Amino acid sequence: MALDALHGEIVGCRRCPRLVAWREQVAREKVARFRDEPYWGRPAPGFGDPDARILLVGLAPAAHGANRTGRVFTGDASGDFLWSALHAVGLADRSSSRRADDGLTLHGVRVAAAVRCAPPANKPTIDERNACAPFLARELTILDTVRVIVALGEFAWNAVLRTLAGTGEAVPRPRPRFGHGTEVAIGDRILIGSYHPSQQNTFTGKLTAPMFAVVLARARSLAGLTGEVIACPLCQTYLQGRSRRLR
Ligand code: SF4
């Protein structure tokens, strides 16, 4: 119920005039390849298991991804990469998802964004970042089963550190710097950094599927998720014999 209430507030939020104007303009004008599809044109709330032990935090919805489909990481190349990797390590029930109503189910994982509206050029202002921050803080408070937070990119990393510090957690000083694979224990949670699965990173090879699967497998292990052995189609050599499916 608390999550439902939070979702309702997020979806109805119009706190940031520039982002409200942008998300609605994108939804009106569309892009040629999606011209016949309805656009969501509103904030994208978190998605996934309400009893998650792992929370993945991204930057913000993509203009023609979540801003179109209404679900984080759904309908764009970043999402294709993310769902495939989550499925490979047994945390999602399918390897691709392009629509919000396709029944995708995450096991032990939830996905959210630091900023819930699509920003122009993927760059929210500091004021917009700060305006949206309370939503992440509340989501983390509600999700009291989360033990591992995976920050997808430096923006999310810093947003999570600020959020945890703001909720009274003992965040180390100086604040730990973002790095792919960096881990920091904060209270009873562990924060892990990963390069964001953006096209810019995945197309250039900065983030490869095996690199991402390793981070997710590590998060799963730290979160204490166990089950049957599964062989990862992305990075067989790393995961075979160690990787476990939740259920
Ligand atoms: Fe509201 Fe966050 Fe969107 Fe700003 S970015 S309008 S605070 S949901």
Side-chain angles (χ1 to χ4, degrees):
M1 285 177 67
L3 269 180
D4 288 344
L6 177 62
H7 282 197
E9 277 188 54
I10 291 172
V11 166
C13 184
R14 304 181 66 83
R15 207 175 292 160
C16 307
R18 186 184 77 118
L19 297 190
V20 171
W22 172 253
R23 75 191 193 203
E24 293 179 355
Q25 179 186 337
V26 169
R28 271 194 315 275
E29 296 178 356
K30 306 187 179 182
V31 71
R33 65 186 182 281
F34 299 127
R35 81 165 69 84
D36 297 327
E37 294 195 18
Y39 270 58
W40 173 248
R42 285 181 273 172
F47 165 73
D49 192 338
D51 298 316
R53 295 182 67 83
I54 302 171
L55 177 67
L56 272 59
V57 180
L59 195 168
H64 303 287
N67 190 54
R68 174 175 57 88
T69 63
R71 194 172 70 191
V72 284
F73 282 101
T74 300
D76 59 18
S78 297
D80 293 344
F81 196 90
L82 177 72
W83 305 133
S84 175
L86 284 172
H87 179 257
V89 296
L91 297 172
D93 72 341
R94 67 200 65 197
S95 59
S96 70
S97 172
R98 289 245 138 202
R99 302 176 59 91
D101 61 356
D102 62 3
L104 169 67
T105 303
L106 305 185
H107 304 308
V109 179
R110 194 168 179 82
V111 184
V115 171
R116 313 293 175 132
C117 289
N122 284 325
K123 286 190 177 143
T125 65
I126 291 174
D127 284 348
E128 290 159 355
R129 179 199 75 187
N130 292 343
C132 212
F135 287 140
L136 182 60
R138 282 176 57 194
E139 193 151 5
L140 264 172
T141 301
I142 294 167
L143 297 170
D144 58 3
T145 53
V146 166
R147 289 294 166 266
V148 180
I149 304 169
V150 180
L152 303 175
E154 188 169 12
F155 186 97
W157 174 270
N158 290 327
V160 171
L161 287 177
R162 270 192 303 275
T163 298
L164 292 176
T167 55
E169 295 288 359
V171 174
R173 288 189 175 275
R175 289 207 178 151
R177 295 184 61 171
F178 170 77
H180 183 80
T182 298
E183 294 179 16
V184 184
I186 302 171
D188 59 359
R189 298 184 179 122
I190 297 173
L191 172 62
I192 307 178
S194 169
Y195 293 134
H196 191 283
S198 63
Q199 284 190 58
Q200 189 179 356
N201 287 339
T202 58
F203 284 13
T204 59
K206 183 173 182 179
L207 179 65
T208 65
M211 283 169 67
F212 198 38
V214 166
V215 168
L216 295 177
R218 173 68 176 157
R220 188 191 50 190
S221 170
L222 290 170
L225 300 177
T226 57
E228 298 171 8
V229 172
I230 179 175
C232 172
L234 300 177
C235 50
Q236 300 272 351
T237 52
Y238 178 80
L239 292 173
Q240 210 155 35
R242 301 192 226 172
S243 150
R244 291 176 181 275
R245 189 193 298 273
L246 179 59
R247 54 182 126 140

